[in-house]
Structure formats: structure tokens, C-alpha cells
């Protein structure tokens, strides 16, 4: 058993290497790439921060969706037209909305979304503390005994039965 494992080890390493390389290949097709390596590097860097609108949690370089391909081409067209990185991103945000960004900005009304979690957590802690403090200081519940009329009535019922 051990000998067969040692014989298969190089094949397993080779398969893992191919799997890693296939993952690194990404979805960018050769016909999309720019001839200038500096511009292509800029396009790749910009694409890392742009969300595929179909896959939603992948950047456009990793997605095989046709819309992601269109976005990759659009990024490269804007770069070739001479736009700066910020202008390319602003163009896409103007066209598709802030949803196209993998990391939305924290300005404008987005601050409310960023702050909602911590604010609600602090509010929950305050409410839980108030509740626990109220329980600790509350008077213990006492059993209400029977009134004298109820005791008399109970005694009559018990005497009738037995």
C-alpha cells in the first residue's frame, strides 16, 4: 500500500499543479488582451475590483459570463481611449450603478449600511443590559393566597364532597 502511494505521489502533485494553474488562468480570453503589457496590467488591476453582474461574487476576470466579457472589453476600450483608472471605474459606476463594485464606497447613504451592524449590536447590548438590570431589581413574585371569602367557599365545597 505504501509503495503504491509513493508511486502515485508525482501524479498527484502534477494534478494539483494543473488545478492551480487552471484556476490562475481566469476567464480572460487571448483576443481580449491588450498588446501593451502596462495597459493590460492596469486592466487586470481594475477588473479585480469589478463585480460580475451575473455571478455577483466573482470579479469580471474570473467569470465566464458573457456580460463579464463585455465589461472586460469595455474596461480595455476605456483604457485604450486614455482614461485613468478612476475614470474607467467612474464610467462603469455611472453606467451600472455602485453594485458593479466588489467593495462599495462608504460615502453617501452607504455609510448607513456600513454602520448598521455595529449600531444594532450596541443597541442590542443596551437593551439586554436594561432587561437584565430590571430583572435583578424587580421584587420577587409572591404567590397570591386565597382571600377569606375564597377560603370559606373552598371549605364548603370540600365538606360537601366528603
Amino acid at each position: 500500500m505504501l509503495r503504491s502511494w509513493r508511486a502515485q505521489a508525482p501524479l498527484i502533485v502534477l494534478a494539483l499543479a494543473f488545478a492551480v494553474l487552471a484556476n490562475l488562468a481566469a476567464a480572460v480570453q487571448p483576443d481580449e488582451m491588450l498588446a501593451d503589457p502596462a495597459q493590460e496590467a492596469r486592466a487586470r488591476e481594475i477588473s479585480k475590483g469589478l463585480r460580475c453582474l451575473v455571478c455577483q461574487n466573482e470579479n469580471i476576470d474570473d467569470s465566464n459570463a458573457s456580460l463579464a466579457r463585455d465589461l472586460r472589453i469595455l474596461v480595455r476600450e476605456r483604457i485604450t481611449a486614455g482614461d485613468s483608472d478612476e475614470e474607467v471605474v467612474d464610467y462603469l459606476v455611472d453606467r451600472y450603478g455602485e453594485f458593479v463594485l466588489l467593495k462599495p464606497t462608504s460615502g453617501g447613504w452607504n455609510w448607513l449600511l456600513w454602520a448598521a451592524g455595529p449600531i444594532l449590536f450596541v443597541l442590542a447590548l443596551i437593551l439586554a443590559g436594561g432587561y437584565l438590570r430590571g430583572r435583578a431589581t424587580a421584587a420577587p413574585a409572591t404567590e397570591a393566597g386565597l382571600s377569606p371569602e375564597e377560603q370559606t367557599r373552598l371549605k364548603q365545597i370540600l365538606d360537601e364532597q366528603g
Side-chain angles (χ1 to χ4, degrees):
M1 182 75 173
L2 186 60
R3 288 184 185 172
S4 65
W5 169 254
R6 286 186 182 168
Q8 293 176 352
L11 293 175
I12 293 172
V13 170
L14 188 62
L16 288 173
F18 278 127
V20 169
L21 289 175
N23 193 23
L24 293 176
V28 177
Q29 302 299 315
D31 63 332
E32 299 173 19
M33 293 183 180
L34 296 172
D36 182 9
Q39 286 183 337
E40 181 61 28
R42 279 182 56 208
R44 293 288 179 112
E45 192 61 34
I46 293 170
S47 296
K48 285 180 186 176
L50 297 175
R51 177 190 321 268
C52 172
L53 300 173
V54 176
C55 308
Q56 295 188 2
N57 278 337
E58 274 187 311
N59 66 36
I60 61 174
D61 271 355
D62 293 338
S63 174
N64 287 322
S66 61
L67 181 58
R69 175 182 165 82
D70 294 343
L71 288 174
R72 289 190 300 264
I73 291 171
L74 186 59
V75 165
R76 284 161 175 77
E77 285 174 358
R78 301 304 302 177
I79 287 175
T80 348
D83 287 358
S84 69
D85 293 357
E86 293 81 20
E87 290 173 334
V88 173
V89 172
D90 290 344
Y91 177 81
L92 290 170
V93 168
D94 289 342
R95 192 166 184 183
Y96 295 100
E98 225 175 279
F99 185 71
V100 78
L101 300 175
L102 274 173
K103 281 184 142 182
T105 62
S106 58
W109 282 100
N110 286 347
W111 70 268
L112 185 61
L113 295 174
W114 286 97
I119 289 172
L120 289 175
F121 179 70
V122 168
L123 182 63
L125 286 177
I126 291 169
L127 290 173
Y131 173 74
L132 292 175
R133 180 176 290 177
R135 282 189 55 148
T137 60
T142 58
E143 283 190 32
L146 296 176
S147 66
E149 297 85 26
E150 292 172 332
Q151 287 179 355
T152 307
R153 178 69 182 135
L154 178 61
K155 189 171 184 172
Q156 288 175 354
I157 292 174
L158 290 175
D159 288 342
E160 289 174 5
Q161 289 183 354

